[in-house]
Amino acid sequence: NCDWSSDVCSSDLVFQVVMGRALAAEEYAAFNAILAMGMVACSPMTAIETVAARHVANVAAVAGCGTVRLLYRTWTTWLWAGCGAVAVAVLVAEPQVRAWLRLPDIESVWLLAGIVLVTSLSILTGAVLRGLQAFGWLGGLGFGGVVAKIALCLLFVISLSQGLHGALGGVLVS
């Protein structure tokens, strides 16, 4: 899934192998279907990411970091509003989404919606960090996210025996 916003595909490949070993075959298939749907849902954000980073760089150069903070808050508010609209659409279309992805329950659909929201916020934060040229923080966000994702998914799936919901919860929390 290439972390939807970064270039750490090799570590995500490790993540896929680890999850393939930790989950049952049916759970792993549902897990990958949900992550693929999340990637498709977040693709508009990755297109916006470059434009947002450029805008942040321009604003930071002209108006300073205080204005960038305000811009980030404004964008976050709009993102929450957009995700709220998507949540209503998911609620209306939940039976169709569940049938199309062959998901066992509504919780999986809501975990997908949560993953899309959190990933969108991560992409937005990455764009701001890129625009501010805070590459150390950006690298930490990418690397820390992957390590946390692997560790939390393993904790939830293996130690707490949560299966599909544990894997999705680990992705969401990380």
Side-chain angles (χ1 to χ4, degrees), residues 7-95:
D7 297 323
V8 286
C9 293
S10 59
S11 58
D12 280 327
L13 190 56
V14 169
F15 173 70
Q16 288 295 322
V17 170
V18 168
M19 287 296 97
R21 302 298 292 164
L23 293 170
E26 289 178 2
E27 290 176 327
Y28 184 65
F31 180 69
N32 278 323
I34 291 170
L35 290 184
M37 186 57 120
M39 185 195 278
V40 169
C42 288
S43 61
M45 278 300 295
T46 58
I48 294 169
E49 180 180 24
T50 303
V51 175
R54 183 175 172 209
H55 187 68
V56 166
N58 288 336
V59 167
V62 173
C65 288
T67 306
V68 171
R69 272 194 287 287
L70 179 62
L71 184 64
Y72 181 72
R73 285 186 194 130
T74 302
W75 285 347
T76 303
T77 302
W78 280 103
L79 183 63
W80 278 101
C83 286
V86 169
V88 169
V90 166
L91 180 62
V92 170
E94 179 269 327

